[in-house]
Amino acid sequence: MTTTPSWLYYLFGVLMLVVAAYSVVLLVSSAATRRPLGWDVDISHLFMGSSMAGMFVTKWAFGAGTVWELIFSVLLVWFLVRSIQSMHRWGLHLSHFLIHAVMSFTMLLMYRFPVSAPMGAMAMSARGSRLDPGLSFVLAFVLFASAIFTLASPNKGASRHGTHAPAYAMEGTGSGAATSHSAGPSTSVMSIETLLATPRLEDASHVVMCVAMGFLLILML
Amino acid sequence: MSITGTRVSGRLVASACPAGTGSPNALPRPPRDLQRTFQLALATVWLLDAVLQLQPFMFRPGSNGFSGMLHGLASGNPSWIAHSIAWNASIVDHHPVSTNAPFALIQFLIGFGIVSTRSLKPALALSIVWSLAVWWFGEGLGRVFSGGATPFGGGPGAVLFYALLAILLWPRTGSDQPFVAARAVGVKVAKTIWVAVWGLLALLSVVGSGRSPRALHDLVAGMNSAEPGWLTRIDVSSESFLLHHGTSAAIVLAVICLMVAAGVFLPPRFARTTLVLAIVVFAVIWVAVQNFGGILAGGATDSNAGPLVIVLALTYWPLTDDRGTASDVASDPALVVRGNRPS
């Protein structure tokens, strides 16, 4: 018997779809303004939001589990490589790519080991085994810590493009314009970007993702 | 990672500087305020608790649900306290969703409230009030009145440490010297609190069922159902050890607590040794006796006292070297952290 109110799962499901939709907006905005900052994070949030919405609300699930596993495996490798590159370039530090690697790893685990959430996980591959609760707890705690420290960070937007963003931007655009809004795309795209692509919203989407993922991990205990 | 000190706005804060980040292209890393870091650690624990409050069993009425757990805490307390706990449990039993959802929301508000400097004080104040309410209605006053409040089990109540940390991490401008907890309440008051806390823990270790081998054995045995295999194996060893050496373990824990209590008056080098001892002992207890608060078994409301005692110990970590004294701090609040003292 499930006793958790269904509205709670719907709430998280809707939040996941909102984050996924927001990621699409950021991707379009990045493409239109030809500023590549954070596109990989946007893609990962798009996939994570879409798949987790299906974990919270079964009827919203789509896609085969193996496809999702493949996607999150690729994302995991991608973010690990980016982390190593970042450390190679800037020295030993906690790159923001690491937390996205952790999130990709968590998503992978949630497909490998079905969540016991009453309403979710139906789209996942059911293998009958259980993820070690210790690992679930550690991952959940890391995600919650990431949520809290991201919100408190003075470097707003760092969850999407890291603390070395200006330097990366200079390299990416060749104009050093990542922190300015004079790249020359159409006015409408610029206005949308000004409205939505704010560092605080970017961090908020990361925080929502972390809390939702942590909740699913707690449900796996 | 090295910890260095930086003078900011007339006070000194420590900064964590990852090795090798001296690139001229990197954004300048703001200095790390240790009090702020501990506040955020506390916020993380509150966020964890908020999400734990959303587990399915929390919304379940009856003896297998949250209300049943609350009801079970009434026994052993004086009748008027037991009645108040039973009254609260009965409300939760009749309205599991409309009570539990606000409970979770309050914890979310505390966790996220601590993050913003504007809402920090109200959030910490709310956490103190909420902690005391939970200690009464959700922990049965930590079983203090029933004689079962041993530190092995989280006595005198894990949630009291949330309230204590909220007080010791209350935002206040000034130096983190000689330790972070002193910034909020002053050195003398902080040391008095420290001695009172560890004196109480020492006392609770050897009174009531805290020194009973059978009770300590049952404490662990009652926790290990539904735990993962590796933790169950640890539990088996803990149960056996406590059954045969429970009284000795309680006495040793009391002695350790007294040493830790006295440590705050010792020179920094020795004080750090006692703090490390406290951290190691309570980390072992958290794993081998408290079973991470039962979180891994999927039926916990919090992580129990272990991690909070560790955070508490870290807030008393001396930030001066052996040459630094409290009087140094009073006269020069801008002492540099470890190895960076002004010459």
PDB file of all heavy atoms in Angstrom, chain A residues 3-5 90-92 132-133 137 144 148-149 151-152 163-164 215 219 221, chain B residues 18-21 23 26-27 40 44 51 54 56 59 112 115 230 295-296:
ATOM      1  N   THR A   3       1.393   5.060   0.764  1.00  0.00           N
ATOM      2  CA  THR A   3       0.757   6.055   1.609  1.00  0.00           C
ATOM      3  C   THR A   3       1.268   7.455   1.310  1.00  0.00           C
ATOM      4  O   THR A   3       0.712   8.417   1.808  1.00  0.00           O
ATOM      5  CB  THR A   3       1.021   5.735   3.075  1.00  0.00           C
ATOM      6  OG1 THR A   3       2.414   5.494   3.236  1.00  0.00           O
ATOM      7  CG2 THR A   3       0.235   4.529   3.511  1.00  0.00           C
ATOM      8  N   THR A   4       2.336   7.507   0.546  1.00  0.00           N
ATOM      9  CA  THR A   4       2.837   8.826   0.189  1.00  0.00           C
ATOM     10  C   THR A   4       1.819   9.495  -0.715  1.00  0.00           C
ATOM     11  O   THR A   4       1.349   8.888  -1.677  1.00  0.00           O
ATOM     12  CB  THR A   4       4.179   8.692  -0.543  1.00  0.00           C
ATOM     13  OG1 THR A   4       5.047   7.900   0.249  1.00  0.00           O
ATOM     14  CG2 THR A   4       4.795  10.051  -0.780  1.00  0.00           C
ATOM     15  N   PRO A   5       1.468  10.748  -0.407  1.00  0.00           N
ATOM     16  CA  PRO A   5       0.476  11.409  -1.257  1.00  0.00           C
ATOM     17  C   PRO A   5       0.976  11.537  -2.694  1.00  0.00           C
ATOM     18  O   PRO A   5       2.139  11.890  -2.928  1.00  0.00           O
ATOM     19  CB  PRO A   5       0.318  12.777  -0.600  1.00  0.00           C
ATOM     20  CG  PRO A   5       1.514  12.946   0.270  1.00  0.00           C
ATOM     21  CD  PRO A   5       1.940  11.584   0.678  1.00  0.00           C
ATOM     22  N   TRP A  90      43.780  23.658 -14.494  1.00  0.00           N
ATOM     23  CA  TRP A  90      43.738  24.629 -13.404  1.00  0.00           C
ATOM     24  C   TRP A  90      44.319  24.104 -12.098  1.00  0.00           C
ATOM     25  O   TRP A  90      44.256  24.792 -11.086  1.00  0.00           O
ATOM     26  CB  TRP A  90      42.287  25.078 -13.147  1.00  0.00           C
ATOM     27  CG  TRP A  90      41.599  25.584 -14.367  1.00  0.00           C
ATOM     28  CD1 TRP A  90      40.587  24.989 -15.041  1.00  0.00           C
ATOM     29  CD2 TRP A  90      41.882  26.791 -15.072  1.00  0.00           C
ATOM     30  NE1 TRP A  90      40.225  25.740 -16.120  1.00  0.00           N
ATOM     31  CE2 TRP A  90      41.007  26.868 -16.167  1.00  0.00           C
ATOM     32  CE3 TRP A  90      42.810  27.829 -14.898  1.00  0.00           C
ATOM     33  CZ2 TRP A  90      41.008  27.915 -17.080  1.00  0.00           C
ATOM     34  CZ3 TRP A  90      42.814  28.873 -15.798  1.00  0.00           C
ATOM     35  CH2 TRP A  90      41.921  28.907 -16.883  1.00  0.00           C
ATOM     36  N   GLY A  91      44.815  22.895 -12.113  1.00  0.00           N
ATOM     37  CA  GLY A  91      45.354  22.331 -10.878  1.00  0.00           C
ATOM     38  C   GLY A  91      44.277  21.589 -10.107  1.00  0.00           C
ATOM     39  O   GLY A  91      43.111  21.576 -10.495  1.00  0.00           O
ATOM     40  N   LEU A  92      44.697  20.986  -8.997  1.00  0.00           N
ATOM     41  CA  LEU A  92      43.779  20.175  -8.201  1.00  0.00           C
ATOM     42  C   LEU A  92      42.686  21.052  -7.580  1.00  0.00           C
ATOM     43  O   LEU A  92      42.969  21.953  -6.804  1.00  0.00           O
ATOM     44  CB  LEU A  92      44.563  19.451  -7.099  1.00  0.00           C
ATOM     45  CG  LEU A  92      43.780  18.415  -6.304  1.00  0.00           C
ATOM     46  CD1 LEU A  92      43.305  17.288  -7.199  1.00  0.00           C
ATOM     47  CD2 LEU A  92      44.623  17.883  -5.163  1.00  0.00           C
ATOM     48  N   ASP A 132      23.425  -0.931  -2.870  1.00  0.00           N
ATOM     49  CA  ASP A 132      23.840  -0.873  -1.472  1.00  0.00           C
ATOM     50  C   ASP A 132      23.344   0.435  -0.853  1.00  0.00           C
ATOM     51  O   ASP A 132      23.638   1.521  -1.378  1.00  0.00           O
ATOM     52  CB  ASP A 132      25.364  -0.948  -1.381  1.00  0.00           C
ATOM     53  CG  ASP A 132      25.827  -1.042   0.061  1.00  0.00           C
ATOM     54  OD1 ASP A 132      25.832   0.000   0.753  1.00  0.00           O
ATOM     55  OD2 ASP A 132      26.160  -2.153   0.490  1.00  0.00           O
ATOM     56  N   PRO A 133      22.610   0.353   0.260  1.00  0.00           N
ATOM     57  CA  PRO A 133      22.070   1.572   0.871  1.00  0.00           C
ATOM     58  C   PRO A 133      23.149   2.558   1.298  1.00  0.00           C
ATOM     59  O   PRO A 133      22.924   3.758   1.318  1.00  0.00           O
ATOM     60  CB  PRO A 133      21.303   1.044   2.086  1.00  0.00           C
ATOM     61  CG  PRO A 133      21.041  -0.381   1.802  1.00  0.00           C
ATOM     62  CD  PRO A 133      22.176  -0.859   0.964  1.00  0.00           C
ATOM     63  N   PHE A 137      23.111   6.431   0.366  1.00  0.00           N
ATOM     64  CA  PHE A 137      23.166   7.476   1.392  1.00  0.00           C
ATOM     65  C   PHE A 137      24.295   8.467   1.098  1.00  0.00           C
ATOM     66  O   PHE A 137      24.103   9.685   1.160  1.00  0.00           O
ATOM     67  CB  PHE A 137      23.349   6.820   2.767  1.00  0.00           C
ATOM     68  CG  PHE A 137      23.563   7.806   3.879  1.00  0.00           C
ATOM     69  CD1 PHE A 137      22.640   8.802   4.143  1.00  0.00           C
ATOM     70  CD2 PHE A 137      24.705   7.743   4.667  1.00  0.00           C
ATOM     71  CE1 PHE A 137      22.839   9.719   5.171  1.00  0.00           C
ATOM     72  CE2 PHE A 137      24.907   8.652   5.690  1.00  0.00           C
ATOM     73  CZ  PHE A 137      23.978   9.645   5.940  1.00  0.00           C
ATOM     74  N   PHE A 144      22.876  16.635  -1.657  1.00  0.00           N
ATOM     75  CA  PHE A 144      22.300  17.671  -0.781  1.00  0.00           C
ATOM     76  C   PHE A 144      23.354  18.737  -0.452  1.00  0.00           C
ATOM     77  O   PHE A 144      23.043  19.934  -0.425  1.00  0.00           O
ATOM     78  CB  PHE A 144      21.754  17.051   0.509  1.00  0.00           C
ATOM     79  CG  PHE A 144      20.591  16.127   0.285  1.00  0.00           C
ATOM     80  CD1 PHE A 144      20.401  15.012   1.084  1.00  0.00           C
ATOM     81  CD2 PHE A 144      19.676  16.358  -0.731  1.00  0.00           C
ATOM     82  CE1 PHE A 144      19.328  14.145   0.871  1.00  0.00           C
ATOM     83  CE2 PHE A 144      18.610  15.510  -0.949  1.00  0.00           C
ATOM     84  CZ  PHE A 144      18.440  14.398  -0.146  1.00  0.00           C
ATOM     85  N   ILE A 148      23.112  22.781  -1.259  1.00  0.00           N
ATOM     86  CA  ILE A 148      23.285  23.842  -0.254  1.00  0.00           C
ATOM     87  C   ILE A 148      24.467  24.752  -0.617  1.00  0.00           C
ATOM     88  O   ILE A 148      24.350  25.991  -0.606  1.00  0.00           O
ATOM     89  CB  ILE A 148      23.505  23.217   1.146  1.00  0.00           C
ATOM     90  CG1 ILE A 148      22.221  22.525   1.633  1.00  0.00           C
ATOM     91  CG2 ILE A 148      23.969  24.267   2.145  1.00  0.00           C
ATOM     92  CD1 ILE A 148      21.062  23.451   1.913  1.00  0.00           C
ATOM     93  N   PHE A 149      25.595  24.153  -0.951  1.00  0.00           N
ATOM     94  CA  PHE A 149      26.787  24.963  -1.213  1.00  0.00           C
ATOM     95  C   PHE A 149      26.677  25.705  -2.542  1.00  0.00           C
ATOM     96  O   PHE A 149      27.283  26.763  -2.708  1.00  0.00           O
ATOM     97  CB  PHE A 149      28.047  24.090  -1.151  1.00  0.00           C
ATOM     98  CG  PHE A 149      28.494  23.803   0.260  1.00  0.00           C
ATOM     99  CD1 PHE A 149      27.897  22.809   1.015  1.00  0.00           C
ATOM    100  CD2 PHE A 149      29.478  24.565   0.865  1.00  0.00           C
ATOM    101  CE1 PHE A 149      28.280  22.554   2.329  1.00  0.00           C
ATOM    102  CE2 PHE A 149      29.874  24.331   2.174  1.00  0.00           C
ATOM    103  CZ  PHE A 149      29.273  23.323   2.908  1.00  0.00           C
ATOM    104  N   LEU A 151      23.814  27.012  -3.650  1.00  0.00           N
ATOM    105  CA  LEU A 151      22.980  28.179  -3.334  1.00  0.00           C
ATOM    106  C   LEU A 151      23.765  29.245  -2.577  1.00  0.00           C
ATOM    107  O   LEU A 151      23.531  30.443  -2.761  1.00  0.00           O
ATOM    108  CB  LEU A 151      21.775  27.743  -2.487  1.00  0.00           C
ATOM    109  CG  LEU A 151      20.584  27.162  -3.234  1.00  0.00           C
ATOM    110  CD1 LEU A 151      19.492  26.784  -2.243  1.00  0.00           C
ATOM    111  CD2 LEU A 151      20.026  28.155  -4.249  1.00  0.00           C
ATOM    112  N   ALA A 152      24.674  28.784  -1.727  1.00  0.00           N
ATOM    113  CA  ALA A 152      25.413  29.740  -0.895  1.00  0.00           C
ATOM    114  C   ALA A 152      26.627  30.325  -1.605  1.00  0.00           C
ATOM    115  O   ALA A 152      27.202  31.295  -1.122  1.00  0.00           O
ATOM    116  CB  ALA A 152      25.863  29.045   0.386  1.00  0.00           C
ATOM    117  N   THR A 163      33.845  27.908 -12.052  1.00  0.00           N
ATOM    118  CA  THR A 163      34.406  29.168 -11.570  1.00  0.00           C
ATOM    119  C   THR A 163      35.438  29.746 -12.539  1.00  0.00           C
ATOM    120  O   THR A 163      35.879  30.870 -12.367  1.00  0.00           O
ATOM    121  CB  THR A 163      35.092  28.961 -10.210  1.00  0.00           C
ATOM    122  OG1 THR A 163      35.978  27.860 -10.322  1.00  0.00           O
ATOM    123  CG2 THR A 163      34.062  28.684  -9.127  1.00  0.00           C
ATOM    124  N   HIS A 164      35.806  28.962 -13.556  1.00  0.00           N
ATOM    125  CA  HIS A 164      36.775  29.464 -14.532  1.00  0.00           C
ATOM    126  C   HIS A 164      36.075  29.928 -15.800  1.00  0.00           C
ATOM    127  O   HIS A 164      36.692  30.001 -16.859  1.00  0.00           O
ATOM    128  CB  HIS A 164      37.784  28.372 -14.885  1.00  0.00           C
ATOM    129  CG  HIS A 164      38.545  27.869 -13.701  1.00  0.00           C
ATOM    130  ND1 HIS A 164      39.420  28.649 -12.996  1.00  0.00           N
ATOM    131  CD2 HIS A 164      38.530  26.671 -13.077  1.00  0.00           C
ATOM    132  CE1 HIS A 164      39.933  27.939 -11.998  1.00  0.00           C
ATOM    133  NE2 HIS A 164      39.398  26.750 -12.026  1.00  0.00           N
ATOM    134  N   PHE A 215      16.203  12.612  -3.229  1.00  0.00           N
ATOM    135  CA  PHE A 215      14.947  12.016  -2.762  1.00  0.00           C
ATOM    136  C   PHE A 215      14.779  10.609  -3.341  1.00  0.00           C
ATOM    137  O   PHE A 215      14.432   9.659  -2.618  1.00  0.00           O
ATOM    138  CB  PHE A 215      13.788  12.928  -3.162  1.00  0.00           C
ATOM    139  CG  PHE A 215      12.430  12.433  -2.718  1.00  0.00           C
ATOM    140  CD1 PHE A 215      12.254  11.756  -1.523  1.00  0.00           C
ATOM    141  CD2 PHE A 215      11.311  12.671  -3.502  1.00  0.00           C
ATOM    142  CE1 PHE A 215      11.000  11.311  -1.114  1.00  0.00           C
ATOM    143  CE2 PHE A 215      10.054  12.233  -3.111  1.00  0.00           C
ATOM    144  CZ  PHE A 215       9.903  11.542  -1.914  1.00  0.00           C
ATOM    145  N   LEU A 219      14.594   7.053  -1.396  1.00  0.00           N
ATOM    146  CA  LEU A 219      13.542   6.053  -1.622  1.00  0.00           C
ATOM    147  C   LEU A 219      14.135   4.686  -1.952  1.00  0.00           C
ATOM    148  O   LEU A 219      13.462   3.666  -1.817  1.00  0.00           O
ATOM    149  CB  LEU A 219      12.633   6.509  -2.773  1.00  0.00           C
ATOM    150  CG  LEU A 219      11.728   7.702  -2.486  1.00  0.00           C
ATOM    151  CD1 LEU A 219      10.973   8.120  -3.739  1.00  0.00           C
ATOM    152  CD2 LEU A 219      10.752   7.392  -1.365  1.00  0.00           C
ATOM    153  N   LEU A 221      16.542   3.355  -0.332  1.00  0.00           N
ATOM    154  CA  LEU A 221      17.085   2.735   0.891  1.00  0.00           C
ATOM    155  C   LEU A 221      16.218   1.563   1.341  1.00  0.00           C
ATOM    156  O   LEU A 221      15.019   1.551   1.100  1.00  0.00           O
ATOM    157  CB  LEU A 221      17.177   3.785   2.005  1.00  0.00           C
ATOM    158  CG  LEU A 221      18.172   4.923   1.770  1.00  0.00           C
ATOM    159  CD1 LEU A 221      18.042   5.963   2.868  1.00  0.00           C
ATOM    160  CD2 LEU A 221      19.595   4.398   1.710  1.00  0.00           C
TER     161      LEU A 221
ATOM    162  N   PRO B  18      42.892  25.305  -3.047  1.00  0.00           N
ATOM    163  CA  PRO B  18      43.332  24.106  -3.710  1.00  0.00           C
ATOM    164  C   PRO B  18      44.721  24.313  -4.302  1.00  0.00           C
ATOM    165  O   PRO B  18      45.009  25.367  -4.865  1.00  0.00           O
ATOM    166  CB  PRO B  18      42.291  23.890  -4.817  1.00  0.00           C
ATOM    167  CG  PRO B  18      41.125  24.707  -4.399  1.00  0.00           C
ATOM    168  CD  PRO B  18      41.672  25.844  -3.631  1.00  0.00           C
ATOM    169  N   ALA B  19      45.510  23.297  -4.131  1.00  0.00           N
ATOM    170  CA  ALA B  19      46.866  23.415  -4.639  1.00  0.00           C
ATOM    171  C   ALA B  19      46.864  23.608  -6.145  1.00  0.00           C
ATOM    172  O   ALA B  19      46.092  23.002  -6.861  1.00  0.00           O
ATOM    173  CB  ALA B  19      47.649  22.154  -4.274  1.00  0.00           C
ATOM    174  N   GLY B  20      47.716  24.441  -6.583  1.00  0.00           N
ATOM    175  CA  GLY B  20      47.895  24.580  -8.017  1.00  0.00           C
ATOM    176  C   GLY B  20      46.867  25.414  -8.716  1.00  0.00           C
ATOM    177  O   GLY B  20      46.723  25.353  -9.927  1.00  0.00           O
ATOM    178  N   THR B  21      46.127  26.229  -7.990  1.00  0.00           N
ATOM    179  CA  THR B  21      45.117  27.048  -8.647  1.00  0.00           C
ATOM    180  C   THR B  21      45.593  28.488  -8.754  1.00  0.00           C
ATOM    181  O   THR B  21      44.824  29.415  -8.735  1.00  0.00           O
ATOM    182  CB  THR B  21      43.788  27.019  -7.896  1.00  0.00           C
ATOM    183  OG1 THR B  21      44.041  27.326  -6.538  1.00  0.00           O
ATOM    184  CG2 THR B  21      43.118  25.685  -8.012  1.00  0.00           C
ATOM    185  N   SER B  23      46.568  29.948 -11.198  1.00  0.00           N
ATOM    186  CA  SER B  23      46.501  30.447 -12.560  1.00  0.00           C
ATOM    187  C   SER B  23      45.980  31.875 -12.589  1.00  0.00           C
ATOM    188  O   SER B  23      45.012  32.208 -11.921  1.00  0.00           O
ATOM    189  CB  SER B  23      45.567  29.557 -13.384  1.00  0.00           C
ATOM    190  OG  SER B  23      45.222  30.223 -14.566  1.00  0.00           O
ATOM    191  N   ALA B  26      42.280  32.155 -13.471  1.00  0.00           N
ATOM    192  CA  ALA B  26      41.218  31.683 -12.588  1.00  0.00           C
ATOM    193  C   ALA B  26      40.612  32.855 -11.838  1.00  0.00           C
ATOM    194  O   ALA B  26      41.295  33.817 -11.510  1.00  0.00           O
ATOM    195  CB  ALA B  26      41.782  30.669 -11.602  1.00  0.00           C
ATOM    196  N   LEU B  27      39.307  32.737 -11.573  1.00  0.00           N
ATOM    197  CA  LEU B  27      38.659  33.776 -10.780  1.00  0.00           C
ATOM    198  C   LEU B  27      39.255  33.767  -9.385  1.00  0.00           C
ATOM    199  O   LEU B  27      39.548  32.711  -8.853  1.00  0.00           O
ATOM    200  CB  LEU B  27      37.155  33.502 -10.686  1.00  0.00           C
ATOM    201  CG  LEU B  27      36.322  33.779 -11.928  1.00  0.00           C
ATOM    202  CD1 LEU B  27      34.870  33.441 -11.639  1.00  0.00           C
ATOM    203  CD2 LEU B  27      36.439  35.223 -12.360  1.00  0.00           C
ATOM    204  N   LEU B  40      26.638  25.927   6.747  1.00  0.00           N
ATOM    205  CA  LEU B  40      26.166  25.229   5.541  1.00  0.00           C
ATOM    206  C   LEU B  40      26.175  23.713   5.745  1.00  0.00           C
ATOM    207  O   LEU B  40      25.320  23.002   5.204  1.00  0.00           O
ATOM    208  CB  LEU B  40      27.008  25.623   4.334  1.00  0.00           C
ATOM    209  CG  LEU B  40      26.917  27.109   3.941  1.00  0.00           C
ATOM    210  CD1 LEU B  40      27.832  27.424   2.760  1.00  0.00           C
ATOM    211  CD2 LEU B  40      25.477  27.488   3.602  1.00  0.00           C
ATOM    212  N   THR B  44      22.969  21.358   5.369  1.00  0.00           N
ATOM    213  CA  THR B  44      22.943  20.110   4.595  1.00  0.00           C
ATOM    214  C   THR B  44      22.272  18.995   5.394  1.00  0.00           C
ATOM    215  O   THR B  44      21.468  18.225   4.854  1.00  0.00           O
ATOM    216  CB  THR B  44      24.375  19.692   4.210  1.00  0.00           C
ATOM    217  OG1 THR B  44      24.987  20.748   3.460  1.00  0.00           O
ATOM    218  CG2 THR B  44      24.370  18.426   3.370  1.00  0.00           C
ATOM    219  N   VAL B  51      14.241  15.633   3.564  1.00  0.00           N
ATOM    220  CA  VAL B  51      13.930  14.613   2.552  1.00  0.00           C
ATOM    221  C   VAL B  51      13.583  13.284   3.228  1.00  0.00           C
ATOM    222  O   VAL B  51      12.688  12.570   2.763  1.00  0.00           O
ATOM    223  CB  VAL B  51      15.115  14.456   1.570  1.00  0.00           C
ATOM    224  CG1 VAL B  51      14.866  13.306   0.607  1.00  0.00           C
ATOM    225  CG2 VAL B  51      15.322  15.755   0.789  1.00  0.00           C
ATOM    226  N   LEU B  54      10.082  12.790   3.951  1.00  0.00           N
ATOM    227  CA  LEU B  54       9.179  12.503   2.826  1.00  0.00           C
ATOM    228  C   LEU B  54       9.102  11.013   2.492  1.00  0.00           C
ATOM    229  O   LEU B  54       8.446  10.633   1.520  1.00  0.00           O
ATOM    230  CB  LEU B  54       9.643  13.270   1.571  1.00  0.00           C
ATOM    231  CG  LEU B  54       9.636  14.802   1.676  1.00  0.00           C
ATOM    232  CD1 LEU B  54      10.176  15.412   0.386  1.00  0.00           C
ATOM    233  CD2 LEU B  54       8.229  15.315   1.947  1.00  0.00           C
ATOM    234  N   PRO B  56       7.938   7.213   2.413  1.00  0.00           N
ATOM    235  CA  PRO B  56       6.555   6.722   2.444  1.00  0.00           C
ATOM    236  C   PRO B  56       6.040   6.374   3.837  1.00  0.00           C
ATOM    237  O   PRO B  56       4.887   6.663   4.166  1.00  0.00           O
ATOM    238  CB  PRO B  56       6.607   5.485   1.550  1.00  0.00           C
ATOM    239  CG  PRO B  56       7.721   5.755   0.596  1.00  0.00           C
ATOM    240  CD  PRO B  56       8.739   6.533   1.373  1.00  0.00           C
ATOM    241  N   PHE B  59       4.184   8.881   6.029  1.00  0.00           N
ATOM    242  CA  PHE B  59       2.796   9.244   5.735  1.00  0.00           C
ATOM    243  C   PHE B  59       1.826   8.119   6.102  1.00  0.00           C
ATOM    244  O   PHE B  59       0.639   8.215   5.832  1.00  0.00           O
ATOM    245  CB  PHE B  59       2.641   9.578   4.243  1.00  0.00           C
ATOM    246  CG  PHE B  59       3.399  10.812   3.829  1.00  0.00           C
ATOM    247  CD1 PHE B  59       4.669  10.731   3.291  1.00  0.00           C
ATOM    248  CD2 PHE B  59       2.832  12.068   3.973  1.00  0.00           C
ATOM    249  CE1 PHE B  59       5.365  11.861   2.907  1.00  0.00           C
ATOM    250  CE2 PHE B  59       3.520  13.214   3.595  1.00  0.00           C
ATOM    251  CZ  PHE B  59       4.800  13.106   3.061  1.00  0.00           C
ATOM    252  N   PHE B 112      17.164  25.563   3.774  1.00  0.00           N
ATOM    253  CA  PHE B 112      17.392  26.586   2.751  1.00  0.00           C
ATOM    254  C   PHE B 112      17.462  27.981   3.370  1.00  0.00           C
ATOM    255  O   PHE B 112      18.089  28.877   2.803  1.00  0.00           O
ATOM    256  CB  PHE B 112      16.315  26.518   1.675  1.00  0.00           C
ATOM    257  CG  PHE B 112      16.460  25.337   0.765  1.00  0.00           C
ATOM    258  CD1 PHE B 112      15.421  24.434   0.570  1.00  0.00           C
ATOM    259  CD2 PHE B 112      17.655  25.104   0.091  1.00  0.00           C
ATOM    260  CE1 PHE B 112      15.570  23.332  -0.255  1.00  0.00           C
ATOM    261  CE2 PHE B 112      17.816  24.005  -0.739  1.00  0.00           C
ATOM    262  CZ  PHE B 112      16.771  23.116  -0.909  1.00  0.00           C
ATOM    263  N   VAL B 115      20.922  29.007   4.249  1.00  0.00           N
ATOM    264  CA  VAL B 115      21.771  29.317   3.086  1.00  0.00           C
ATOM    265  C   VAL B 115      21.845  30.821   2.836  1.00  0.00           C
ATOM    266  O   VAL B 115      22.911  31.363   2.552  1.00  0.00           O
ATOM    267  CB  VAL B 115      21.237  28.595   1.833  1.00  0.00           C
ATOM    268  CG1 VAL B 115      21.989  29.069   0.598  1.00  0.00           C
ATOM    269  CG2 VAL B 115      21.377  27.095   1.995  1.00  0.00           C
ATOM    270  N   TRP B 230      26.918  -5.777   5.134  1.00  0.00           N
ATOM    271  CA  TRP B 230      28.191  -5.375   5.740  1.00  0.00           C
ATOM    272  C   TRP B 230      27.965  -4.687   7.091  1.00  0.00           C
ATOM    273  O   TRP B 230      28.756  -4.846   8.011  1.00  0.00           O
ATOM    274  CB  TRP B 230      28.983  -4.475   4.798  1.00  0.00           C
ATOM    275  CG  TRP B 230      28.284  -3.212   4.363  1.00  0.00           C
ATOM    276  CD1 TRP B 230      27.478  -3.050   3.276  1.00  0.00           C
ATOM    277  CD2 TRP B 230      28.316  -1.937   5.013  1.00  0.00           C
ATOM    278  NE1 TRP B 230      27.020  -1.762   3.201  1.00  0.00           N
ATOM    279  CE2 TRP B 230      27.524  -1.048   4.251  1.00  0.00           C
ATOM    280  CE3 TRP B 230      28.953  -1.446   6.157  1.00  0.00           C
ATOM    281  CZ2 TRP B 230      27.320   0.292   4.605  1.00  0.00           C
ATOM    282  CZ3 TRP B 230      28.773  -0.119   6.507  1.00  0.00           C
ATOM    283  CH2 TRP B 230      27.966   0.736   5.733  1.00  0.00           C
ATOM    284  N   ILE B 295      19.387   5.057   8.989  1.00  0.00           N
ATOM    285  CA  ILE B 295      19.008   5.569   7.662  1.00  0.00           C
ATOM    286  C   ILE B 295      19.084   4.478   6.595  1.00  0.00           C
ATOM    287  O   ILE B 295      18.215   4.382   5.729  1.00  0.00           O
ATOM    288  CB  ILE B 295      19.920   6.760   7.275  1.00  0.00           C
ATOM    289  CG1 ILE B 295      19.529   8.006   8.072  1.00  0.00           C
ATOM    290  CG2 ILE B 295      19.844   7.057   5.776  1.00  0.00           C
ATOM    291  CD1 ILE B 295      20.390   9.215   7.799  1.00  0.00           C
ATOM    292  N   LEU B 296      20.109   3.629   6.693  1.00  0.00           N
ATOM    293  CA  LEU B 296      20.307   2.626   5.646  1.00  0.00           C
ATOM    294  C   LEU B 296      19.213   1.559   5.660  1.00  0.00           C
ATOM    295  O   LEU B 296      19.025   0.834   4.685  1.00  0.00           O
ATOM    296  CB  LEU B 296      21.679   1.963   5.785  1.00  0.00           C
ATOM    297  CG  LEU B 296      22.887   2.903   5.830  1.00  0.00           C
ATOM    298  CD1 LEU B 296      24.175   2.126   5.669  1.00  0.00           C
ATOM    299  CD2 LEU B 296      22.799   3.985   4.760  1.00  0.00           C
TER     300      LEU B 296
END
